Amino acid sequence: MTSTEGSALGTRAAHRLARTGLWRIEPGLTGVEFSRIEQEFGFEFSDDHRAFLAAGLPTGAPPPEPGVFQSATPWPDWRNGDPDDLRKRLNWPVDGVLFSVEHGYWHNTWGERPDDQAEAITKARQNLDEVPRMVPIFSHRYLPAGRGTYGHPVLSMHQTDIIYYGIDLYDYIWQEFAGSSLSIDANWTPPAVVAFWRDFL
């Protein structure tokens, strides 16, 4: 069961996106489709993300962004998309950290870094198997997975370069698609987000 507040937030975000007129919006995902997606890929959408996609499934492709993983469309096609493409998108945050590990990064909770590079990658991967799952919204913008959760900030994730890109899903739609530069109030106190990923913020 999803929360009323989370559902309202996601629905408002979907309506805000539709008002921009920038994207084709297909009919929203159904309960059966959500169940199939979550079973196939092993996560549950947060309440606001679920409501956003239930209100309408955005599609379309703008010009590619240099140096950033993108498939044919920056919007994940949860209905008809290539499962391998969707897995790449879901794995993008972890793969990005592993890339950084190859180039010297090591998280302070992982213990001593092995001298052997292959062992370091293996140990990092084992640790990353335990971190909260991040779910793509658009290109490399992500929300944490988790039924019963909502209101998390949207994160822009590129390797270990991770920043806030909206105080929540509704604000994110404004920040990404209103045509203005990113602006978050200096007095905003960011929530903790989720374990591990908050350490990069």
Side-chain angles (χ1 to χ4, degrees), residues 37-114:
I37 294 160
E38 292 175 337
Q39 183 174 11
E40 181 172 356
F41 296 104
F43 74 92
E44 291 185 323
F45 289 99
S46 63
D47 293 357
D48 45 358
H49 198 175
R50 172 181 292 270
F52 176 77
L53 296 171
L57 187 67
T59 61
E65 188 175 340
V68 173
F69 167 76
Q70 260 180 239
S71 61
T73 172
W75 296 103
D77 184 355
W78 296 111
R79 175 172 286 131
N80 298 310
D82 177 358
D84 289 338
D85 174 65
L86 292 169
R87 285 189 185 90
K88 283 181 186 176
R89 291 171 182 263
L90 285 162
N91 292 336
W92 168 263
V94 164
D95 288 345
V97 174
L98 289 172
F99 178 86
S100 294
V101 168
E102 289 177 10
H103 293 82
Y105 172 78
W106 194 252
H107 196 270
N108 59 14
T109 63
W110 295 346
E112 187 174 347
R113 180 184 176 119

Side-chain angles (χ1 to χ4, degrees), residues 135-147:
V135 181
I137 300 172
F138 175 87
S139 187
H140 57 293
R141 317 293 193 224
Y142 284 74
L143 273 176
R147 182 74 64 88

